[in-house]
Amino acid sequence: MRRKMVAGNWKMHGSLAANKVLLDALVAAPAPVCDVVVCVPGPYLAQAQGLLAGTAINLGAQDCSAHEQGPYTGEVSANMLRDFACGHVIVGHSERRASFCEDDSTVAIKAQRALDAGMTPIVCVGETLEQREHGQTEAVVGTQLDAVFMLLGQRIHQIVLAYEPVWAIGTGRTASPMQAQQVHAFIRQRAIRHHSNAVGIRLLYGGSVKPDNAAELFAQPDIDGGLIGGASLKAADFLAVVDAARFSA
Ligand code: PEP
C-alpha cells in the first residue's frame, strides 16, 4: 500500500510574518493522515526549519542547482538545502521549464543531485494545452520521464513524480479525475517498464487542487496525493486537502 503524500508549493509567496501564521496553524492541526511537505522559498528555509522541527510536517525546497558547487552566482545546491533539513525538493516545475528554459536533461541532473544529497526529488512532468489537444500527452510526458529514468537507473523508486498538466496550474481548471488517472496509470507503467522496483513509486497530481476536488482525485487508483500551489497558502484550505488524503483507492 502506497502512503499518500500532500506537498505544498508556496512558489514566490510569503513573508516572515505570514509564514509564521501559516506554519503555526499547520503545526497546531491534528496529526495528518498522510505525509505532508511544505516547499518554501529559499530565504525562509531557516525560519521554516525552526518552526517545523519535531513536528509531523516535512520541509522542502522548490528547486536546486544542477551543479554540485562552484562559480554559479545565485544558485543553491542540493547539499545546501540539506543543511536546512530539507527532505524534499521540487525539480522540473513547469514554471521553471517555461520561464528559466530548463530542459529534460537539466531536470534529470537536478533529480540526481537531490538524491545524491539525501533528499527526495519531486519531479514534475506535464503537457501544455496545445500538446493535449494534439493528442501528444503521452509522447511529451514519456519523453520527460525517460530523461529522468535513464539518468537515475535503478534509483527511480526513490523519487516522487508529480503529473502537473500545464493547463491546470493556477488556472482553476483541474484535470478530471479520469483524465488525471489515465496519465498516472501511463506514468506508473512507464516507470515499471524501466525498472520493476518502481511499482510502488508515488505519483502526485498537481493543478488547481482545492478542498472541493481533492478527495475525488486522491481516490483514483494511481493517484497517491497532490502537489498543491494556491491552496497551500491558506492553512484551512491546505489542511482540508491534506485531510482528503484519507480517501484512498
Ligand atoms: C503548482 O504550482 O505546482 C500547482 C499545482 O499550482 P496550483 O495548485 O495553484 O494550480
Side-chain angles (χ1 to χ4, degrees), residues 49-199:
Q49 180 188 15
L51 291 171
L52 298 178
T55 75
I57 299 176
N58 302 289
L59 181 59
Q62 298 173 15
D63 185 37
C64 67
S65 177
H67 302 285
E68 194 178 356
Q69 62 173 356
Y72 303 105
T73 303
E75 288 279 86
V76 175
S77 75
N79 284 321
M80 292 172 184
L81 298 176
R82 196 66 194 131
D83 274 348
F84 290 90
C86 270
H88 297 75
V89 58
I90 299 168
V91 298
H93 192 281
S94 62
E95 288 157 9
R96 295 214 59 89
R97 290 179 188 262
S99 303
F100 300 94
C101 303
E102 290 190 7
D103 60 16
D104 294 342
S105 66
T106 304
V107 173
I109 294 168
K110 289 183 174 201
Q112 185 183 46
R113 294 276 181 228
L115 281 182
D116 289 347
M119 285 186 291
T120 302
I122 300 173
V123 181
C124 301
V125 296
E127 82 287 1
T128 63
L129 186 57
E130 195 187 359
Q131 289 163 337
R132 173 165 279 266
E133 286 174 349
H134 284 86
Q136 297 167 340
T137 298
E138 292 193 357
V140 169
V141 171
T143 301
Q144 293 171 336
L145 291 171
D146 288 349
V148 176
F149 293 167
M150 293 308 288
L151 191 67
L152 299 187
Q154 61 178 18
R155 293 205 286 174
I156 64 167
H157 69 284
Q158 298 174 31
I159 72 173
V160 170
L161 287 166
Y163 169 57
E164 298 210 308
V166 178
W167 46 273
I169 296 178
T171 58
R173 182 177 170 182
T174 321
S176 70
M178 200 194 295
Q179 282 174 320
Q181 165 56 27
Q182 257 174 7
V183 182
H184 279 239
F186 163 77
I187 292 173
R188 192 175 304 285
Q189 285 316 310
R190 189 94 167 192
I192 293 170
R193 203 177 72 188
H194 177 76
H195 201 291
S196 55
N197 70 6
V199 66

Side-chain angles (χ1 to χ4, degrees), residues 9 11 93 95 164 168-171 206-210 227-231:
N9 173 14
K11 311 195 189 197
H93 192 281
E95 288 157 9
E164 298 210 308
I169 296 178
T171 58
S208 298
V209 177
K210 303 275 183 274
L227 180 56
I228 318 299

